[in-house]
Amino acid sequence: MLANLSIQNYALIDDVKVTFSNGFTTITGETGAGKSILLGGLSLVLGKRADLSSLKNTEQKCVIEAEFDISKYDLKPFFAENDLDYEDRTILRREILPSGKSRAFVNDTPVTLDVLKALGDQLVDVHSQHQTLRLTENDFQLKVVDALADNSGNLKNYKTYLGQYRKASKELQDLENFQSNADKEHDYNSFLLKELEDAQLKEGMQEELEAEYEQLSNVEEIMVQLAAGYQLLNDEQLGILGRLADLKRAFQNLADFGPAYASLNDRIQSVLIETDDIASELEQLKDSVEANPERLETVNGQLQQLYDLQKKHQAASVGELINIREELSQKVEAVANIESKITKKKVEVSQLADQVEERAKNIRHARNTVIPKLKSMLQENLYALGMPSASFKIEVNPSETFKPNGKDDLVFLFSANKGSEYGELKKVASGGELSRIMLTIKSILATYEQLPTMMFDEIDTGVSGEISNRMGEIMQQMSQTMQVFSITHLPQVASKGQHQFKVFKQESGEGTSTHMKELSGDERVQELAEMLGGKSLSESALAHARQLLQ
């Protein structure tokens, strides 16, 4: 419920702070006093777009705050989804800066206007002429039927399967699209795959081939250097091995003369062993290396094939070519298996369609069961609101397609007068009739579901006497389970409120400003008497006002 409202520097308002209670609150005031300004300020904090004309003083910012008790609403998932701190007492704030920029906050956390509006829609339902037009929309009419039919569980179940059905249908469409395009690419992809498979790609093969190519193409130079190295090691007169052997013999006799000589002798022994091993390996390499033009040509061909494939596929390595080969393999395999996949997916879609259809029938059955009750309630309440011949023709017919709220087309026709033809609400109902129908529907909905705070903006326009009295009683009855506001010019409605606020203007040397105060006792009597008979208060008007309050 709306607990507190603060408006600063908005339109004709300098600074208004109001505390509200639960139940039924009426707001009155002379025409032009600023009741619409108050509602405009509340609309801003609920997410309506604003402009600089909202500012009374264009050099200061406009700040509007609304504090709500949301403990009875199931809004924790909304706060979690939008990364907001949840508080049972939640504050919505809107700021319009002199620059024209607007900022929005929920519990001091900045939010977008869309988030503010989404939250505001769940906190306050402002009933205005524009909102009355929703009554003519098929989705709203179905919502009313579903509320009476207690269809929330059926709809949740239906939407779960509808989501699965639509997901599977999209996957089937994607498979069919893939098939139509894949047939054109299949032959080409198969050709590319064969090229890559024939190359027998392996990680590291390019480096191995390039190393082998370098050896084969420089075999003569390698042979010369190996022979020279072997000669340096094994020459009879000056060979390194012979000289090291002489060195070893020279130091062998010194090994017993102390640790330093023994250590040096061991090192010489190690060098001799390592050098001898090098000489043996050089000899093996020298004997094994030979020119092989045929192998050189083969290696060169394999390398050229790799380079060509890398250029063709814009790959930087054999590893990337292997990845491309795997992707092509999957594509080729996918085309080969596409028919079976499509057949399997069609079966899945068909089964899900049957599941959705079954749940749509459950929804339809519940709707058809409750329609006679809805018609009776509407006609009975409208009779008391001065529409004794109001009649409805409501039918639920199966639709051709699945919709977000079932598989039904709703026929919701109205006739205001006996013997008149039935027609669509927007074509045959007047503005006053639409307002009374909407009030009746809201009162019915309040019995079957948790509604947000209801704000009726002069819903009683064009009615008077007993009808206005009955409208006040309906709003009073609704307030037993929810917070209800009514901006009204009728004393019969105003008197029904548990609380009454007056909006009025004051003039001063600085200009005109709008104010708001809660009335009590004699103040309410006087306000109602003025609404009944004007500023010149008569004793009969005062007596009538007291009677209304009783």
Side-chain angles (χ1 to χ4, degrees):
M1 73 166 214
L2 176 60
N4 295 290
L5 179 64
S6 169
I7 303 176
Q8 297 175 10
N9 194 36
Y10 173 73
L12 291 178
I13 297 175
D14 289 316
D15 188 359
V16 166
K17 291 182 175 63
V18 195
T19 297
F20 297 113
S21 302
N22 210 345
F24 185 28
T25 298
T26 56
I27 300 173
T28 59
E30 296 179 1
T31 301
K35 298 189 295 295
S36 60
I37 293 174
L38 181 74
L39 187 58
L42 178 62
S43 297
L44 281 178
V45 84
L46 295 175
K48 179 183 174 184
R49 297 201 172 275
D51 54 50
L52 274 176
S53 63
S54 305
L55 277 63
K56 183 179 183 185
N57 184 341
T58 56
E59 295 181 356
Q60 298 178 3
K61 69 180 178 180
C62 165
V63 181
I64 304 172
E65 276 192 0
E67 181 180 2
F68 292 88
D69 181 350
I70 62 173
S71 56
K72 294 183 180 179
Y73 301 144
D74 184 21
L75 289 176
K76 287 183 180 179
F78 178 91
F79 277 72
E81 181 182 344
N82 291 280
D83 197 22
L84 296 171
D85 293 330
Y86 175 86
E87 299 287 347
D88 283 344
R89 302 284 286 200
T90 282
I91 297 176
L92 276 58
R93 186 169 84 253
R94 186 80 180 278
E95 298 179 358
I96 299 120
L97 307 179
S99 63
K101 291 184 178 180
S102 169
R103 299 187 299 188
F105 303 85
V106 174
N107 293 330
D108 287 329
T109 299
V111 296
T112 65
L113 202 57
D114 287 340
V115 171
L116 185 70
K117 186 176 185 308
L119 179 57
D121 287 344
Q122 300 183 70
L123 298 178
V124 180
D125 184 352
V126 179
H127 178 95
S128 61
Q129 183 179 2
H130 170 72
Q131 203 266 0
T132 300
L133 295 177
R134 284 194 63 211
L135 180 58
T136 65
E137 298 172 1
N138 205 252
D139 284 347
F140 180 79
Q141 294 164 355
L142 278 172
K143 180 183 176 183
V144 175
V145 176
D146 287 331
L148 267 69
D150 193 20
N151 249 340
S152 58
N154 287 334
L155 283 167
K156 184 178 180 180
N157 201 2
Y158 167 83
K159 289 175 181 178
T160 298
Y161 279 92
L162 179 63
Q164 295 174 5
Y165 166 74
R166 287 180 170 171
K167 181 175 180 286
S169 297
K170 167 106 176 27
E171 290 169 349
L172 175 60
Q173 186 63 53
D174 290 343
L175 285 173
E176 290 175 338
N177 291 340
F178 177 80
Q179 183 185 39
S180 63
N181 294 325
D183 289 341
K184 306 170 189 175
E185 301 177 3
H186 181 63
D187 291 342
Y188 182 58
N189 285 339
S190 298
F191 169 74
L192 293 178
L193 177 61
K194 187 173 187 308
E195 271 189 332
L196 291 171
E197 287 178 338
D198 289 346
Q200 297 182 349
L201 302 171
K202 293 185 299 182
E203 288 284 0
M205 68 179 295
Q206 182 173 340
E207 292 77 6
E208 293 176 4
L209 287 170
E210 286 173 342
E212 186 177 0
Y213 176 80
E214 286 299 315
Q215 293 179 27
L216 290 170
S217 59
N218 294 281
V219 64
E220 292 181 358
E221 176 68 17
I222 292 171
M223 292 172 68
V224 168
Q225 295 300 332
L226 287 174
Y230 184 77
Q231 181 66 26
L232 283 171
L233 290 170
N234 288 282
D235 185 87
E236 290 184 4
Q237 300 297 326
L238 299 173
I240 293 173
L241 277 174
R243 306 298 291 170
L244 280 173
D246 292 341
L247 183 62
K248 178 192 173 189
R249 283 191 292 271
F251 271 83
Q252 206 168 20
N253 297 325
L254 297 176
D256 295 332
F257 297 159
Y261 301 109
S263 174
L264 195 57
N265 181 62
D266 290 341
R267 290 169 63 191
I268 293 171
Q269 176 70 18
S270 297
V271 170
L272 180 59
I273 293 171
E274 178 65 18
T275 305
D276 187 56
D277 188 57
I278 291 172
S280 299
E281 192 167 337
L282 274 177
E283 185 177 19
Q284 291 175 4
L285 287 172
K286 179 174 67 71
D287 294 339
S288 64
V289 172
E290 60 181 354
N292 192 340
E294 294 82 4
R295 179 58 185 167
L296 177 61
E297 185 177 354
T298 299
V299 171
N300 185 49
Q302 288 178 316
L303 278 173
Q304 194 58 51
Q305 183 185 33
L306 284 181
Y307 298 149
D308 290 344
L309 287 172
Q310 288 172 358
K311 182 178 180 181
K312 186 174 188 175
H313 293 280
Q314 296 182 335
S317 66
V318 171
E320 289 185 24
L321 286 177
I322 291 173
N323 291 336
I324 293 169
R325 181 187 66 191
E326 296 306 315
E327 290 173 7
L328 286 170
S329 177
Q330 291 173 9
K331 288 181 180 180
V332 171
E333 183 182 356
V335 174
N337 299 330
I338 196 69
E339 282 295 344
S340 62
K341 288 183 179 180
I342 289 176
T343 300
K344 184 178 179 181
K345 187 59 69 174
K346 282 181 176 178
V347 172
E348 181 185 351
V349 169
S350 176
Q351 290 174 341
L352 284 169
D354 291 341
Q355 296 276 13
V356 181
E357 182 71 45
E358 180 182 344
R359 281 149 184 83
K361 287 178 180 178
N362 293 337
I363 294 170
R364 186 179 308 125
H365 174 72
R367 287 170 175 169
N368 280 320
T369 300
V370 83
I371 279 175
K373 179 180 179 181
L374 174 61
K375 288 169 60 177
S376 176
M377 294 175 74
L378 286 172
Q379 290 166 187
E380 181 181 334
N381 286 342
L382 289 173
Y383 181 89
L385 291 176
M387 298 172 64
S389 299
S391 178
F392 291 87
K393 183 180 181 181
I394 306 174
E395 296 178 356
V396 175
N397 299 318
S399 172
E400 293 297 320
T401 58
F402 294 126
K403 300 178 180 181
N405 55 2
K407 195 184 178 187
D408 296 326
D409 289 322
L410 183 69
V411 177
F412 200 102
L413 303 180
F414 172 70
S415 172
N417 303 301
K418 195 171 183 178
S420 298
E421 292 291 326
Y422 286 96
E424 295 180 29
L425 279 171
K426 61 184 175 183
K427 294 181 179 179
V428 300
S430 67
E433 288 168 342
L434 282 175
S435 290
R436 279 177 273 180
I437 294 170
M438 179 60 96
L439 176 60
T440 296
I441 285 177
K442 291 291 186 182
S443 67
I444 294 172
L445 285 175
T447 306
Y448 290 92
E449 62 177 27
Q450 177 69 50
L451 294 180
T453 291
M454 191 69 61
M455 178 76 71
F456 290 108
D457 181 19
E458 298 192 349
I459 193 173
D460 45 30
T461 300
V463 301
S464 59
E466 183 56 33
I467 296 174
S468 62
N469 192 57
R470 177 58 185 151
M471 293 181 81
E473 289 175 351
I474 290 175
M475 286 184 271
Q476 190 179 52
Q477 186 177 4
M478 290 174 65
S479 71
Q480 294 176 11
T481 57
M482 60 186 294
Q483 186 184 39
V484 179
F485 289 88
S486 177
I487 298 175
T488 180
H489 63 280
L490 294 179
Q492 292 88 345
V493 174
S495 65
K496 295 292 189 294
Q498 295 167 264
H499 315 277
Q500 182 176 345
F501 286 80
K502 180 177 180 177
V503 179
F504 60 96
K505 287 196 293 190
Q506 279 186 339
E507 294 183 359
S508 65
E510 298 178 357
T512 303
S513 59
T514 291
H515 301 270
M516 185 176 182
K517 66 173 292 188
E518 184 172 7
L519 304 178
S520 59
D522 291 341
E523 291 176 325
R524 287 195 75 179
V525 173
Q526 184 171 329
E527 174 71 5
L528 292 175
E530 287 183 7
M531 295 172 74
L532 286 163
K535 289 290 185 182
S536 55
L537 298 176
S538 65
E539 198 55 48
S540 62
L542 289 167
H544 192 185
R546 293 188 187 97
Q547 185 180 6
L548 285 174
L549 285 171
Q550 291 172 359

